[in-house]
Amino acid sequence: MTVYSMTGFASATAAPAAHAQDSTSSRTAVTVELRSVNGRFFDLALRLPDELRSLEPALREAVAAQVRRGKVELRVVLQRDAESGFALPAPEHLNRLARLEANVQAWLPQARGLSVHEVLQWSRPAAADEDLHGVALRAARESAQALGEARAREGARLVDAMNERVQQLRALAQQAEPLVPALVQRQQQRFIERWNEALATAGGSDAESPRDRALSEAAAFALRIDVAEELARLASHLDEIQRLLAAGGEIGKRLDFLIQELHREANTLGSKSATLELTNIAVDMKVLIEQLREQVQNIE
């Protein structure tokens, strides 16, 4: 399956078919623009002209077919033929509107009269509205499909970037793995030397007891700084991240959880650090994990 980014832009324009452009049908082209950014849920905001308010459910359905998560803005722009404009209203429509306006103002003297724009809107033939709605829906579906394709292309780039960060984290983990045994061995030798010095100063004769005590202290130190479990869990989380990226689909929330787990392991690794090398590795890991987190925020 494909991995989709939540960031994208698409635009599509549709116009009535040439054979449908007669005196009673709409000659208005419709442009639909879609912009999407990251968000926790699917959130669609519509900016529609008054003529297309009734299309809101159909437009939501068209966008939801391509987008599962993210904040999306849909904007519709009408481009009317300058020569045709609105069709001339029929006299019977004008007479009916005049009677209705007179009746309303008889009951409500303060009511405002109809504007020219309102008269033209109320006088539009039903066929013209149906034609305009069909054109708008066609443009919306084309734009939604283009947005899905744009989000897929951006998602592929995010997958490549994340896989690169995962490989860098694996390399850092491999660098950290041999540091702890070497440090424990050095610390063990240091403990033995200190206990031997203390024994020589005290003038004691039993060397085995100080040696055993030194080895015990070294073992306790090794337990405190052991990061084998953290490195194993980190490798497991990286394996799962790569598996999700290969599987695709709606993986953003799962990846977000795994990034939190990676942060936890890197923090523990830093807190157990007993050498400057291990501290630097932990810091580099945190930088890479933060970069992963920023990329995951844009994945659907």
PDB file of all heavy atoms in Angstrom, residues 21-23 25-29 79-88 120:
ATOM      1  N   GLN A  21     -23.941  24.094 -24.212  1.00  0.00           N
ATOM      2  CA  GLN A  21     -23.928  25.531 -23.980  1.00  0.00           C
ATOM      3  C   GLN A  21     -24.974  26.215 -24.853  1.00  0.00           C
ATOM      4  O   GLN A  21     -24.680  26.797 -25.894  1.00  0.00           O
ATOM      5  CB  GLN A  21     -22.531  26.091 -24.266  1.00  0.00           C
ATOM      6  CG  GLN A  21     -21.474  25.579 -23.299  1.00  0.00           C
ATOM      7  CD  GLN A  21     -20.123  26.194 -23.576  1.00  0.00           C
ATOM      8  OE1 GLN A  21     -19.979  27.015 -24.485  1.00  0.00           O
ATOM      9  NE2 GLN A  21     -19.128  25.828 -22.799  1.00  0.00           N
ATOM     10  N   ASP A  22     -26.233  26.153 -24.399  1.00  0.00           N
ATOM     11  CA  ASP A  22     -27.284  26.878 -25.098  1.00  0.00           C
ATOM     12  C   ASP A  22     -27.762  28.020 -24.234  1.00  0.00           C
ATOM     13  O   ASP A  22     -27.168  28.345 -23.218  1.00  0.00           O
ATOM     14  CB  ASP A  22     -28.428  25.933 -25.461  1.00  0.00           C
ATOM     15  CG  ASP A  22     -28.952  25.185 -24.242  1.00  0.00           C
ATOM     16  OD1 ASP A  22     -28.942  25.779 -23.142  1.00  0.00           O
ATOM     17  OD2 ASP A  22     -29.369  24.022 -24.391  1.00  0.00           O
ATOM     18  N   SER A  23     -28.840  28.615 -24.611  1.00  0.00           N
ATOM     19  CA  SER A  23     -29.302  29.819 -23.906  1.00  0.00           C
ATOM     20  C   SER A  23     -29.801  29.536 -22.512  1.00  0.00           C
ATOM     21  O   SER A  23     -29.890  30.438 -21.693  1.00  0.00           O
ATOM     22  CB  SER A  23     -30.421  30.498 -24.724  1.00  0.00           C
ATOM     23  OG  SER A  23     -31.504  29.589 -24.892  1.00  0.00           O
ATOM     24  N   SER A  25     -28.600  26.835 -20.466  1.00  0.00           N
ATOM     25  CA  SER A  25     -27.660  26.098 -19.632  1.00  0.00           C
ATOM     26  C   SER A  25     -26.517  26.995 -19.204  1.00  0.00           C
ATOM     27  O   SER A  25     -26.242  28.021 -19.811  1.00  0.00           O
ATOM     28  CB  SER A  25     -27.131  24.878 -20.389  1.00  0.00           C
ATOM     29  OG  SER A  25     -26.438  25.294 -21.543  1.00  0.00           O
ATOM     30  N   SER A  26     -25.843  26.560 -18.134  1.00  0.00           N
ATOM     31  CA  SER A  26     -24.743  27.351 -17.581  1.00  0.00           C
ATOM     32  C   SER A  26     -23.534  27.317 -18.493  1.00  0.00           C
ATOM     33  O   SER A  26     -23.174  26.277 -19.028  1.00  0.00           O
ATOM     34  CB  SER A  26     -24.367  26.790 -16.205  1.00  0.00           C
ATOM     35  OG  SER A  26     -23.190  27.385 -15.743  1.00  0.00           O
ATOM     36  N   ARG A  27     -22.937  28.462 -18.690  1.00  0.00           N
ATOM     37  CA  ARG A  27     -21.671  28.541 -19.410  1.00  0.00           C
ATOM     38  C   ARG A  27     -20.583  28.998 -18.455  1.00  0.00           C
ATOM     39  O   ARG A  27     -19.715  29.783 -18.800  1.00  0.00           O
ATOM     40  CB  ARG A  27     -21.821  29.476 -20.607  1.00  0.00           C
ATOM     41  CG  ARG A  27     -22.520  28.820 -21.782  1.00  0.00           C
ATOM     42  CD  ARG A  27     -22.719  29.759 -22.946  1.00  0.00           C
ATOM     43  NE  ARG A  27     -23.861  30.647 -22.723  1.00  0.00           N
ATOM     44  CZ  ARG A  27     -24.306  31.507 -23.638  1.00  0.00           C
ATOM     45  NH1 ARG A  27     -23.712  31.589 -24.800  1.00  0.00           N
ATOM     46  NH2 ARG A  27     -25.353  32.263 -23.376  1.00  0.00           N
ATOM     47  N   THR A  28     -20.643  28.500 -17.222  1.00  0.00           N
ATOM     48  CA  THR A  28     -19.708  28.879 -16.171  1.00  0.00           C
ATOM     49  C   THR A  28     -18.703  27.765 -15.938  1.00  0.00           C
ATOM     50  O   THR A  28     -19.088  26.617 -15.693  1.00  0.00           O
ATOM     51  CB  THR A  28     -20.458  29.164 -14.855  1.00  0.00           C
ATOM     52  OG1 THR A  28     -21.418  30.189 -15.084  1.00  0.00           O
ATOM     53  CG2 THR A  28     -19.492  29.588 -13.765  1.00  0.00           C
ATOM     54  N   ALA A  29     -17.421  28.091 -16.039  1.00  0.00           N
ATOM     55  CA  ALA A  29     -16.371  27.137 -15.685  1.00  0.00           C
ATOM     56  C   ALA A  29     -16.166  27.169 -14.171  1.00  0.00           C
ATOM     57  O   ALA A  29     -16.348  28.197 -13.523  1.00  0.00           O
ATOM     58  CB  ALA A  29     -15.074  27.490 -16.404  1.00  0.00           C
ATOM     59  N   GLN A  79     -16.028  30.910 -12.892  1.00  0.00           N
ATOM     60  CA  GLN A  79     -15.495  31.762 -13.968  1.00  0.00           C
ATOM     61  C   GLN A  79     -16.555  31.854 -15.057  1.00  0.00           C
ATOM     62  O   GLN A  79     -16.645  30.988 -15.925  1.00  0.00           O
ATOM     63  CB  GLN A  79     -14.182  31.179 -14.502  1.00  0.00           C
ATOM     64  CG  GLN A  79     -13.109  31.039 -13.438  1.00  0.00           C
ATOM     65  CD  GLN A  79     -11.966  30.159 -13.886  1.00  0.00           C
ATOM     66  OE1 GLN A  79     -12.120  29.315 -14.758  1.00  0.00           O
ATOM     67  NE2 GLN A  79     -10.807  30.344 -13.272  1.00  0.00           N
ATOM     68  N   ARG A  80     -17.350  32.909 -14.995  1.00  0.00           N
ATOM     69  CA  ARG A  80     -18.454  33.055 -15.944  1.00  0.00           C
ATOM     70  C   ARG A  80     -17.977  33.685 -17.248  1.00  0.00           C
ATOM     71  O   ARG A  80     -17.073  34.515 -17.260  1.00  0.00           O
ATOM     72  CB  ARG A  80     -19.570  33.917 -15.338  1.00  0.00           C
ATOM     73  CG  ARG A  80     -20.310  33.230 -14.210  1.00  0.00           C
ATOM     74  CD  ARG A  80     -21.539  34.029 -13.804  1.00  0.00           C
ATOM     75  NE  ARG A  80     -22.342  33.292 -12.852  1.00  0.00           N
ATOM     76  CZ  ARG A  80     -22.178  33.332 -11.541  1.00  0.00           C
ATOM     77  NH1 ARG A  80     -21.232  34.105 -11.032  1.00  0.00           N
ATOM     78  NH2 ARG A  80     -22.954  32.625 -10.742  1.00  0.00           N
ATOM     79  N   ASP A  81     -18.630  33.278 -18.318  1.00  0.00           N
ATOM     80  CA  ASP A  81     -18.383  33.870 -19.628  1.00  0.00           C
ATOM     81  C   ASP A  81     -18.799  35.337 -19.583  1.00  0.00           C
ATOM     82  O   ASP A  81     -19.940  35.674 -19.265  1.00  0.00           O
ATOM     83  CB  ASP A  81     -19.191  33.124 -20.683  1.00  0.00           C
ATOM     84  CG  ASP A  81     -18.812  33.535 -22.096  1.00  0.00           C
ATOM     85  OD1 ASP A  81     -18.296  34.664 -22.252  1.00  0.00           O
ATOM     86  OD2 ASP A  81     -19.037  32.747 -23.014  1.00  0.00           O
ATOM     87  N   ALA A  82     -17.856  36.220 -19.902  1.00  0.00           N
ATOM     88  CA  ALA A  82     -18.153  37.655 -19.809  1.00  0.00           C
ATOM     89  C   ALA A  82     -19.273  38.071 -20.747  1.00  0.00           C
ATOM     90  O   ALA A  82     -20.041  38.990 -20.459  1.00  0.00           O
ATOM     91  CB  ALA A  82     -16.887  38.468 -20.103  1.00  0.00           C
ATOM     92  N   GLU A  83     -19.406  37.398 -21.891  1.00  0.00           N
ATOM     93  CA  GLU A  83     -20.436  37.791 -22.844  1.00  0.00           C
ATOM     94  C   GLU A  83     -21.811  37.254 -22.463  1.00  0.00           C
ATOM     95  O   GLU A  83     -22.826  37.907 -22.647  1.00  0.00           O
ATOM     96  CB  GLU A  83     -20.064  37.280 -24.246  1.00  0.00           C
ATOM     97  CG  GLU A  83     -18.798  37.912 -24.791  1.00  0.00           C
ATOM     98  CD  GLU A  83     -18.503  37.403 -26.183  1.00  0.00           C
ATOM     99  OE1 GLU A  83     -19.271  36.545 -26.677  1.00  0.00           O
ATOM    100  OE2 GLU A  83     -17.526  37.859 -26.785  1.00  0.00           O
ATOM    101  N   SER A  84     -21.819  36.048 -21.869  1.00  0.00           N
ATOM    102  CA  SER A  84     -23.122  35.473 -21.572  1.00  0.00           C
ATOM    103  C   SER A  84     -23.639  35.901 -20.215  1.00  0.00           C
ATOM    104  O   SER A  84     -24.787  36.276 -20.070  1.00  0.00           O
ATOM    105  CB  SER A  84     -23.030  33.946 -21.628  1.00  0.00           C
ATOM    106  OG  SER A  84     -22.113  33.488 -20.653  1.00  0.00           O
ATOM    107  N   GLY A  85     -22.748  35.875 -19.191  1.00  0.00           N
ATOM    108  CA  GLY A  85     -23.197  36.213 -17.851  1.00  0.00           C
ATOM    109  C   GLY A  85     -24.383  35.379 -17.456  1.00  0.00           C
ATOM    110  O   GLY A  85     -24.488  34.210 -17.778  1.00  0.00           O
ATOM    111  N   PHE A  86     -25.313  35.973 -16.739  1.00  0.00           N
ATOM    112  CA  PHE A  86     -26.548  35.292 -16.385  1.00  0.00           C
ATOM    113  C   PHE A  86     -27.499  35.290 -17.585  1.00  0.00           C
ATOM    114  O   PHE A  86     -27.558  36.243 -18.351  1.00  0.00           O
ATOM    115  CB  PHE A  86     -27.235  36.007 -15.217  1.00  0.00           C
ATOM    116  CG  PHE A  86     -26.609  35.707 -13.880  1.00  0.00           C
ATOM    117  CD1 PHE A  86     -25.699  36.586 -13.333  1.00  0.00           C
ATOM    118  CD2 PHE A  86     -26.942  34.554 -13.192  1.00  0.00           C
ATOM    119  CE1 PHE A  86     -25.131  36.318 -12.107  1.00  0.00           C
ATOM    120  CE2 PHE A  86     -26.378  34.285 -11.962  1.00  0.00           C
ATOM    121  CZ  PHE A  86     -25.465  35.162 -11.423  1.00  0.00           C
ATOM    122  N   ALA A  87     -28.258  34.195 -17.673  1.00  0.00           N
ATOM    123  CA  ALA A  87     -29.301  34.169 -18.697  1.00  0.00           C
ATOM    124  C   ALA A  87     -30.387  35.180 -18.345  1.00  0.00           C
ATOM    125  O   ALA A  87     -30.676  35.413 -17.175  1.00  0.00           O
ATOM    126  CB  ALA A  87     -29.886  32.762 -18.779  1.00  0.00           C
ATOM    127  N   LEU A  88     -30.963  35.807 -19.399  1.00  0.00           N
ATOM    128  CA  LEU A  88     -32.018  36.795 -19.147  1.00  0.00           C
ATOM    129  C   LEU A  88     -33.214  36.127 -18.492  1.00  0.00           C
ATOM    130  O   LEU A  88     -33.691  35.084 -18.959  1.00  0.00           O
ATOM    131  CB  LEU A  88     -32.435  37.454 -20.469  1.00  0.00           C
ATOM    132  CG  LEU A  88     -31.382  38.331 -21.147  1.00  0.00           C
ATOM    133  CD1 LEU A  88     -31.912  38.830 -22.483  1.00  0.00           C
ATOM    134  CD2 LEU A  88     -31.002  39.499 -20.242  1.00  0.00           C
ATOM    135  N   LEU A 120     -31.611  37.887 -10.264  1.00  0.00           N
ATOM    136  CA  LEU A 120     -30.997  36.977 -11.234  1.00  0.00           C
ATOM    137  C   LEU A 120     -30.826  35.575 -10.646  1.00  0.00           C
ATOM    138  O   LEU A 120     -31.015  34.569 -11.348  1.00  0.00           O
ATOM    139  CB  LEU A 120     -29.650  37.537 -11.685  1.00  0.00           C
ATOM    140  CG  LEU A 120     -29.709  38.816 -12.549  1.00  0.00           C
ATOM    141  CD1 LEU A 120     -28.309  39.331 -12.809  1.00  0.00           C
ATOM    142  CD2 LEU A 120     -30.435  38.546 -13.856  1.00  0.00           C
TER     143      LEU A 120
END
